Amino acid sequence: QGRTVRFGIRLHTITRDTADAAWTEAARLLEAIPDELLAEQQANLRKSESEGQRRMLKLNAGDRTGLEIYPNLWAGVGLVRGGAGTALVGSHREVAALIKEYATVGFEEFVLSGYPCLEEAHWFGEGVLPLLEAESLWTPPGRTTKCLT
């Protein structure tokens, strides 16, 4: 067909200056979910016919434990949210390293977000983007070449 296949991934991020601070934030988000809401959302998510949702439910098993499914990859978001339910969690360096790992295996597009949106965008923009730029994995909008300083 003359087309080139490209791959992308949709993830959340929880990144802080230290890994401990990032995991503390992940735990805080999880603790804020009432048991009743978790049970209700899990029941609703089980009604989905989506293969992706079925796989997400298998990753988190509807349980608050064992949610780090790969180093710095956390399935906690998927306990109460349909669709993208995993988050990159860790220090800025750890999150940048995991993004690099995804890029190395062929992912070219990343759709990233977090909770609360503005605050996580700040943490990511200030902490992770400079590291990705240094690795030539990201270029600021409007800049075509890396700035030498």
Side-chain angles (χ1 to χ4, degrees):
Q1 300 287 329
R3 294 180 278 184
T4 302
V5 176
R6 296 176 56 191
F7 295 93
I9 192 163
R10 168 81 171 88
L11 298 160
H12 300 280
T13 64
I14 302 172
T15 180
R16 296 291 186 274
D17 294 333
T18 67
D20 285 344
W23 285 107
T24 297
E25 178 62 13
R28 186 192 69 75
L29 291 171
L30 197 57
E31 289 166 6
I33 303 168
D35 289 338
E36 304 77 32
L37 177 61
L38 191 146
E40 178 183 320
Q41 287 299 103
Q42 284 289 298
N44 288 335
L45 293 169
R46 282 190 199 90
K47 295 175 187 174
S48 174
E49 295 180 16
S50 164
E51 177 61 20
Q53 190 60 59
R54 185 187 67 76
R55 290 179 184 194
M56 191 67 235
L57 288 166
K58 189 175 179 183
L59 285 177
N60 65 42
D63 190 316
R64 293 176 191 260
T65 62
L67 294 171
E68 187 176 8
I69 55 175
Y70 183 81
N72 300 99
L73 185 62
W74 184 62
V77 177
L79 286 171
V80 292
R81 183 192 189 285
T86 52
L88 307 174
V89 180
S91 70
H92 306 309
R93 290 198 181 285
E94 290 170 330
V95 169
L98 193 49
I99 290 171
K100 183 177 181 179
E101 189 175 333
Y102 276 108
T104 299
V105 298
F107 287 90
E108 297 179 53
E109 305 293 333
F110 294 84
V111 178
L112 305 170
S113 64
Y115 301 103
C117 299
L118 183 59
E119 288 83 353
E120 284 306 319
H122 171 79
W123 282 107
F124 189 86
E126 293 292 317
V128 179
L129 287 182
L131 299 172
L132 296 176
E133 183 179 12
E135 295 271 347
S136 297
L137 292 170
W138 177 75
T139 302
R143 190 181 302 161
T144 56
T145 59
K146 187 172 177 165
C147 213
L148 299 175
T149 55

